[in-house]
Amino acid sequence: MGTEEEYTKELLAELEQCFIDNDPSTICGVIFETVGGSTIGTPTPPKGYLDGAKAICDKYGALFMLDEVMCGMGRCGYPFTFMHPDFGLSNGAGPDICTVGKTIGSGFVTLAGVLISPKIKKAIDEGSGYIMGAQTYHSHDFNCRVGLAVQKKIYSNNLIENCRVVGAYLKEQLQTKLKDNKIVGDIRGAGDFLSIEAVKDKATKEPFNPKLGVASLIAKRALDKGLYVMGLTGCIKSEIQPNGSVVAYGDHITMAPAFSFTKEHADFISTTLAEVFAELEKELL
């Protein structure tokens, strides 16, 4: 088994080879989720990966873009997730473009944004000096006022710090209470954006047969006990069958409690999931 540093180098080599194979002059930008969302269950990038990816994009003249619609704006314990000290960008660097959403309006309103770096602003100023934008949802005063009120509340109540502190506590409790469960393959994520991957074999990480619908089973059992989590499949791979249907391998659940959640809420979440996984361990193995 290699080290995290070796894995980072392997991933970066793969990224650079993709540039080379496809002619760097044809690639205008690369989009990354700082922390993967519901599709693959909140994996955090290995240390040094984002810095290395940005350097490769800079080398070949491509824009380095981060999608933080799901993971950002405090969800992972920092104002922007690329600021995370464990896996984020170093030396105060930021992406060329960053997309944000969800947390801006806290579900009260639909609101999202595209944030640009000084480099992008300079290119626009020295180019056309114009950004096309009009009509649909343009300058939506009400939604923007709600979004501003939400942000003021988040900062006045130190809710980003709460995500970081209570989220770390929840992750620790999940790791402790599920440590010996034979169908728990991984517990991952940052802040209060966390996932648990369910596997048939804890050692090899072999997934369950997709026909069993394990992720849905976990979500249903949890809901029966008063806890809502997202049960999702496909975090390992998906295969298109001859008849055109898709079979997804890899079961995981993802949770993202409210920014105001407490250690008592975290205890309820971890205890409930420990009960659910203990029941399914007996039934599935």
Side-chain angles (χ1 to χ4, degrees), residues 141-219:
D141 180 74
F142 175 77
N143 282 19
C144 289
R145 285 178 182 274
V146 173
L148 179 59
V150 168
Q151 295 309 302
K152 286 181 176 179
K153 192 79 171 179
I154 286 173
Y155 280 88
S156 65
N157 289 351
N158 295 317
L159 296 185
I160 294 177
E161 180 183 3
N162 191 67
C163 275
R164 183 170 67 251
V165 174
V166 183
Y169 173 77
L170 172 57
K171 189 175 184 180
E172 179 186 1
Q173 289 300 302
L174 290 170
Q175 290 169 334
T176 299
K177 294 174 182 178
L178 293 168
K179 174 169 57 78
D180 298 321
N181 190 284
K182 293 178 182 177
I183 67 169
V184 173
D186 192 25
I187 298 171
R188 55 181 180 254
D192 76 345
F193 195 38
L194 304 172
S195 296
I196 303 172
E197 185 175 342
V199 296
K200 182 179 179 181
D201 188 306
K202 197 178 183 78
T204 65
K205 310 302 184 189
E206 177 189 353
F208 282 103
N209 187 324
K211 293 180 180 179
L212 294 173
V214 172
S216 296
L217 278 175
I218 297 169

Side-chain angles (χ1 to χ4, degrees), residues 69 99-102 104-105 109-114 143-144:
V69 168
T99 53
V100 293
K102 295 185 187 290
I104 300 180
V109 293
T110 53
L111 191 63
V114 179
N143 282 19
C144 289

Side-chain angles (χ1 to χ4, degrees), residues 30-35 50 54 63-74 78-83 89 93-102 104 111-121:
V30 185
I31 304 173
F32 306 80
E33 271 191 302
T34 313
V35 171
L50 291 180
K54 186 177 188 303
L63 296 179
F64 177 73
M65 300 181 281
L66 292 179
D67 174 0
E68 295 205 354
V69 168
M70 195 167 189
C71 69
M73 301 297 288
Y78 293 87
F80 296 98
T81 302
F82 64 77
M83 298 170 66
L89 294 167
D96 296 313
I97 295 175
C98 185
T99 53
V100 293
K102 295 185 187 290
I104 300 180
L111 191 63
V114 179
L115 310 179
I116 62 173
S117 67
K119 180 173 82 173
I120 301 301
K121 181 180 183 299

Side-chain angles (χ1 to χ4, degrees), residues 4 7 27 43 51 72 77 82 92 101 112 116 122 140 143 157 185 198-199 218 223 229 237 279-280:
E4 183 176 2
Y7 183 51
I27 302 173
D51 279 333
F82 64 77
I116 62 173
K122 183 173 183 291
H140 199 304
N143 282 19
N157 289 351
V199 296
I218 297 169
L223 188 60
V229 295
K237 65 177 181 178
E279 291 171 6
L280 290 176

